[in-house]
Amino acid sequence: MSTKTIGTRLHRFIAENEAQYPGATGELSALLAQIGLAGKRISRALSQAGLMDILGASGETNVQGETQQKLDAIANDIFLDAFAYGQLVPAVVTEEMELAAYLPENEVNGKYVVFVDPLDGSSNLDVNGGVGSIFSVRRIDGGGAFTSEDDLIARVSRQQVAAGYFVFGPSTMLVYTCGTASGVQGFTLDPGIGEFLLSHPDIRIPAQGLYYAANEGNVNEWEAGPREFVKWLQSRNTPSGRPYGTRYSGALVSDVHRILLKGGVYFYPATHKAPDGKLRLLYEAAPLAMVLEEAGGAASSGTQRILDVPILRSHQRTPLYIGGTAEISALESFVRAQTA
Ligand code: AHG
Ligand code: MN
Ligand code: MN
């Protein structure tokens, strides 16, 4: 029986795939279903945003010192609510909260910590532009309640067990992977029946890219490596598809989703103002890196594979270069030349 039939409902797809793994407990499947529900609720909130007076700044500043939009807070609450039952997730690390949200009722049985960017690209909200949500699931080593934030970070598995994102565009899509050669699956929400349906099975990034995505307004803030890389992307070389076109929406999820489907590279280098980069490792860079690698692409900090960057803090940042393997190895050689 094929489990990759276009139109298969997310719940059925998860259940049928789970059945292929002897000894699977169903817990990761249940967790993915909770994440799916959160995506549907955020999609609904976004579709009514302009009508319900929930657009705009909330008046709060988040842990990153960024202005929080009302919908950032709403999406955050939706994710926390999704994990509140089922005893699966004792802690959620989210962009919007300095300390993890602890769910003590899930402490005894919960095996997973989820890292989320509840709403990515939220500065696009006021202009009805694209936004997304990003999630990453990590297993907990050892039992018992977390004694501190450091204890949580020390005890989450270095490997993600699942990762993905929602992209809220003309349609809402869920793209995720459970790793270990299970592939990257894309589902599209049918709002009429409130179900995610399999629309993009086994996504592979094209070997040759068409586009690069970067905030090139910062070019003079970048180091020599990315500055030379962008010149290379713009230089003519017809057999290798250069020059690349530029597409940049200001929402990491939308931009990386385009790269995943069309090929190319997204990058957010370190700048003089942000020497560690802007994007966060645990709920932006690492989950997207897992998806892109599983789809045949690559993700780098410039000097290191993103999935090998040591995990030190909940909100640590990293430069990010993510896309096709050819583009990422070209970038790394420009960075090596810069430091040689
Ligand atoms: P968030 O809305 O979760 O804070 O993330 C914003 C990120 C990312 O989505 C985007 O690619 C980048 O910030 C845009 O930054 P610039 O405005 O500097 O281009
Ligand atoms: Mn973000
Ligand atoms: Mn965000």
Side-chain angles (χ1 to χ4, degrees), residues 16-310:
E16 289 181 350
N17 276 279
E18 162 118 24
Q20 296 171 7
Y21 297 99
T25 60
E27 287 170 311
L28 184 59
S29 299
L31 178 51
L32 288 169
Q34 291 182 338
I35 290 172
L37 175 63
K40 285 193 267 189
R41 293 187 61 199
I42 294 169
S43 178
R44 182 168 153 75
L46 289 169
S47 69
Q48 300 177 320
L51 300 172
M52 290 180 58
D53 195 29
I54 50 179
L55 278 179
S58 66
E60 303 287 324
T61 302
N62 72 12
V63 57
Q64 329 286 338
E66 296 157 346
T67 306
Q68 195 183 50
Q69 303 284 323
K70 289 178 196 163
L71 274 160
D72 284 318
I74 291 170
N76 191 56
D77 289 349
I78 288 174
F79 269 109
L80 297 187
D81 189 57
F83 303 130
Y85 67 95
Q87 303 188 15
L88 299 168
V89 179
V92 184
V93 172
T94 142
E95 181 191 1
E96 302 305 327
M97 298 170 67
E98 181 170 6
L99 297 177
Y102 293 97
L103 306 169
E105 64 277 24
N106 298 343
E107 246 162 32
V108 176
N109 296 320
K111 290 196 187 121
Y112 302 104
V113 173
V114 185
F115 296 81
V116 286
D117 179 352
L119 212 46
D120 172 68
S122 51
S123 70
N124 282 355
L125 286 169
D126 281 342
V127 297
N128 201 21
V131 290
S133 302
I134 311 174
F135 59 87
S136 158
V137 180
R138 292 178 188 265
R139 206 180 282 278
I140 302 162
D141 298 329
F146 296 116
T147 54
S148 66
E149 201 81 355
D150 288 344
D151 180 44
L152 184 158
I153 289 301
R155 282 172 51 199
V156 292
S157 60
R158 270 31 202 167
Q159 271 194 350
Q160 301 167 92
V161 294
Y165 59 82
F166 295 98
V167 57
F168 304 106
S171 298
T172 291
M173 280 190 70
L174 163 64
V175 175
Y176 80 91
T177 183
C178 292
T180 57
S182 63
V184 174
Q185 314 303 331
F187 292 79
T188 301
L189 181 63
D190 180 340
I193 58 170
E195 296 274 9
F196 281 104
L197 305 180
L198 184 65
S199 54
H200 296 64
D202 294 323
I203 300 172
R204 303 290 298 170
I205 183 171
Q208 180 157 323
L210 291 176
Y211 300 109
Y212 72 91
N215 184 345
E216 225 173 317
N218 289 333
V219 67
N220 293 320
E221 305 296 315
W222 299 343
E223 300 204 304
R227 285 204 315 270
E228 293 304 316
F229 179 54
V230 86
K231 281 189 209 155
W232 177 80
L233 290 166
Q234 293 165 345
S235 63
R236 186 182 305 144
N237 183 293
T238 312
S240 51
R242 304 199 315 270
Y244 283 23
T246 312
R247 298 285 187 278
Y248 188 71
S249 75
L252 172 69
V253 168
S254 312
D255 290 325
V256 169
H257 184 64
R258 171 188 287 275
I259 299 302
L260 175 63
L261 297 184
K262 303 287 185 190
V265 56
Y266 171 101
F267 51 106
Y268 207 108
T271 61
H272 291 138
K273 217 172 68 186
D276 296 329
K278 175 181 184 187
L279 299 172
R280 280 58 56 111
L281 177 67
L282 290 170
Y283 44 80
E284 292 182 316
L288 297 179
M290 184 182 185
V291 170
L292 267 281
E293 282 200 4
E294 188 67 24
S300 169
S301 68
T303 54
Q304 185 173 27
R305 183 175 168 241
I306 286 290
L307 296 181
D308 291 338
V309 173

